[in-house]
Structure formats: C-alpha cells, structure tokens
Amino acid sequence: MSEFIGNQKAIHIFENLSPYFQGLGDPIRQQIISLLIDRETMNVSQIAEHIPMSRPTVSHHLKILRQAGLIKVQKKGTEMFYSLEFNEVIALMKQLVHFVEVECQY
C-alpha cells in the first residue's frame, strides 16, 4: 500500500514538472535560460544577439518559456524585458530530489 502512495506522489510531482521539462527541452531555450542566468534581465534584441536565430524565432522560444512558467516579462517603456521565474520549478525539483532520496534508498 505504501508503495502505491509513493508512486502516486512521484506521478503527481512529475505531472507538475512536465511543463517545465517541456519548456527546457529545446537547446535554444536552454541557451536563453543560460543567458538570463548570467544577465538577469534582457530584451528580445539583446537575447537575439547571442542566439543564432532570427528575432521572431527567439520571440517564439520566449513565448514557450513564458507559457511554461520559466520566465516572466516586464514592460519598460516600449521594450519587454525577460527574466527568470524559477521559484516554483525549484520548489518542485526539491520535492522530487527529496522523494527520490527518501524512497529510493537501497
């Protein structure tokens, strides 16, 4: 019975993490996240300078990252500035790591 509860908890954690994993599943989006780790906030033009893709393509990837809940956007004047929004995903990852540490000890 406790195995079933543990499995259900793992499934629940993975279901909650799924959008984040999907958002991070592309190398271009991983590069964008890496840039934002280094620079904290950037607009699409600044990001496009570092990514070998067109500005519309970069915007598309930013939209996916926003939908996944990995970045947030703030409008300053006419520009949109992007920054990381990792609080929830970090909390979920910690739950997953804790679950694995507790449940998967041999």
Side-chain angles (χ1 to χ4, degrees):
M1 181 72 170
S2 68
E3 259 184 62
F4 178 73
I5 293 169
N7 289 342
Q8 289 299 105
K9 185 173 181 177
I11 289 168
H12 179 71
I13 294 169
F14 280 121
E15 285 173 350
N16 288 329
L17 281 169
S18 182
Y20 301 113
F21 289 145
Q22 289 173 359
L24 292 170
D26 183 274
I28 297 300
R29 293 193 289 275
Q30 293 165 13
Q31 287 179 20
I32 292 170
I33 294 294
S34 179
L35 282 170
L36 292 173
I37 289 170
D38 289 342
R39 304 250 168 59
E40 292 186 27
T41 184
M42 299 175 80
N43 65 28
V44 68
S45 296
Q46 292 168 325
I47 294 168
E49 289 174 10
H50 299 276
I51 306 289
M53 304 249 160
S54 68
R55 186 177 163 160
T57 301
V58 171
S59 292
H60 172 73
H61 285 286
L62 289 167
K63 179 181 175 185
I64 292 170
L65 288 168
R66 267 184 79 193
Q67 290 172 339
L70 292 163
I71 62 172
K72 61 185 174 183
V73 64
Q74 182 178 11
K75 189 171 184 174
K76 294 180 185 175
T78 59
E79 291 289 334
M80 305 294 269
F81 285 85
Y82 298 88
S83 59
L84 297 178
E85 180 77 281
F86 267 19
N87 294 336
E88 187 173 334
V89 70
I90 288 171
L92 288 168
M93 288 291 226
K94 285 179 180 179
Q95 285 180 20
L96 179 62
V97 168
H98 177 75
F99 176 81
V100 169
E101 287 176 340
V102 170
E103 297 294 325
C104 299
Q105 293 180 8
Y106 295 99

